[in-house]
Amino acid sequence: MPLQMKLTAITLDCPDPLALLAFYQQATGLEPHPKSDAHFAGITREDGLFIGFQRVDDYQAPRWPDQTVPQQCHLDFAVQDMDEAEAQLLELGAGMPDHQPGKDKHWRVLTDPAGHPFCLIKDKESKPT
């Protein structure tokens, strides 16, 4: 019988947990965890999923798509309007790598302020625009 596990948290290394918390809080609308501080911060979704940001001294940002410093992990976010979401995230401090393997295939790669790549994908439940 397979092990039954429920994903409860995702934690990203970064140089400044409060800055990354502010970025993801503004991007998702999720509430900051009340015990967030300069060493460990996070946001929590209504179903309990926690996204944490852990301070790492001498942090090296991923160099996507170059793998000299691997991406380590990435998050995917479903959005209804990719152009609008991209513009808002860039305004919040996200980066847009030149290499976009899926730009014409329904996903886009951005980077958060600490350099972690994440993807915007077309929300399958949204109505065509």
Side-chain angles (χ1 to χ4, degrees):
M1 181 168 170
L3 182 62
Q4 297 296 311
M5 299 189 316
K6 177 182 176 184
L7 179 63
T8 60
I10 299 165
T11 301
L12 302 174
D13 291 348
C14 63
D16 185 346
L18 293 175
L20 214 50
L21 170 117
F23 172 79
Y24 280 106
Q25 194 274 324
Q26 291 176 55
T28 64
L30 298 178
E31 290 300 314
H33 190 278
K35 293 185 179 180
S36 293
D37 63 29
H39 296 286
F40 191 84
I43 54 177
T44 306
R45 203 168 63 183
E46 290 110 19
D47 67 358
L49 180 63
F50 177 82
I51 302 175
F53 314 107
Q54 173 177 273
R55 180 182 175 83
V56 172
D57 293 328
D58 301 321
Y59 172 78
Q60 292 187 12
R63 305 227 192 283
W64 189 89
D66 175 14
Q67 292 296 303
T68 1
V69 179
Q71 67 182 357
Q72 301 148 19
C73 75
H74 80 267
L75 305 173
D76 290 345
F77 294 96
V79 296
Q80 291 183 5
D81 185 319
M82 300 231 322
D83 293 330
E84 181 180 332
E86 176 185 309
Q88 289 178 355
L89 289 161
L90 292 172
E91 190 173 304
L92 290 174
M96 176 69 103
D98 291 334
H99 181 65
Q100 290 293 320
K103 185 138 183 153
D104 298 327
K105 298 179 182 170
H106 313 295
W107 80 86
R108 295 183 193 159
V109 179
L110 281 81
T111 55
D112 69 22
H116 302 108
F118 65 93
C119 292
L120 297 179
I121 59 172
K122 181 74 173 153
D123 185 351
K124 293 177 185 171
E125 295 180 16
S126 66
K127 296 182 178 171
T129 55

